[in-house]
Amino acid sequence: MFDNRSPIYQQIAEQIRTDVLHGSLAEDEQIMSTNQYAQLFRINPATAAKAFQELVTEGVIYKRRGVGMFVAPGAREALARQRRERFFAEVVDSMVAEAKALGVPLGDVVAHIEHAGKERR
């Protein structure tokens, strides 16, 4: 599950974000405990706790004292909004800049995207 590109706690947090975004984890659904993560992935419980703290700070999960961690209401919509913003900033804006630099009309870019979208259905 883990790679060497980023710290393990960040990879855990990103996997939970992805699970929430894709609906694998629903709002108010309990997530595994830090000890369960530690056992399953053979990591230090503090590593999982650091991931959880990051997600609590972001409002993706919340803690029920004595019970565990749960997916926060509205987390899916917030994550989708953030990823859309990041998609446009990182992918679309740079694509538009590159098209302009190459002299590709934006209409051609849009037509190509629409064509590619139809082929993948």
Side-chain angles (χ1 to χ4, degrees):
M1 171 177 174
F2 304 117
D3 60 40
N4 292 326
R5 290 180 265 178
S6 61
I8 292 173
Y9 82 92
Q10 289 178 346
Q11 293 179 57
I12 292 169
E14 188 57 29
Q15 183 59 55
I16 292 171
R17 286 184 200 100
T18 298
D19 289 346
V20 171
L21 186 63
H22 293 167
S24 302
L25 288 172
E27 292 181 0
D28 291 314
E29 182 176 343
Q30 187 170 12
I31 63 173
M32 287 191 294
S33 71
T34 55
N35 290 331
Q36 288 171 319
Y37 267 95
Q39 283 184 322
L40 182 63
F41 298 114
R42 296 192 168 119
I43 60 171
N44 188 314
T47 301
K50 190 170 181 179
F52 286 13
Q53 185 54 52
E54 183 173 296
L55 294 169
V56 167
T57 300
E58 293 173 7
V60 175
I61 63 174
Y62 67 95
K63 182 176 184 174
R64 286 188 191 160
R65 189 176 177 106
V67 180
M69 304 299 271
F70 294 80
V71 177
R76 185 179 184 286
E77 292 79 22
L79 288 168
R81 184 177 55 256
Q82 290 170 1
R83 289 217 181 158
R84 277 192 300 271
E85 290 171 5
R86 188 171 70 205
F87 170 75
F88 282 107
E90 294 176 3
V91 177
V92 177
D93 293 349
S94 63
M95 179 181 58
V96 169
E98 182 71 9
K100 286 181 178 181
L102 296 172
V104 177
L106 292 181
D108 290 356
V109 174
V110 171
H112 185 82
I113 291 169
E114 288 175 342
H115 178 73
K118 288 177 185 175
E119 285 185 354
R120 294 205 165 106
R121 287 184 190 174

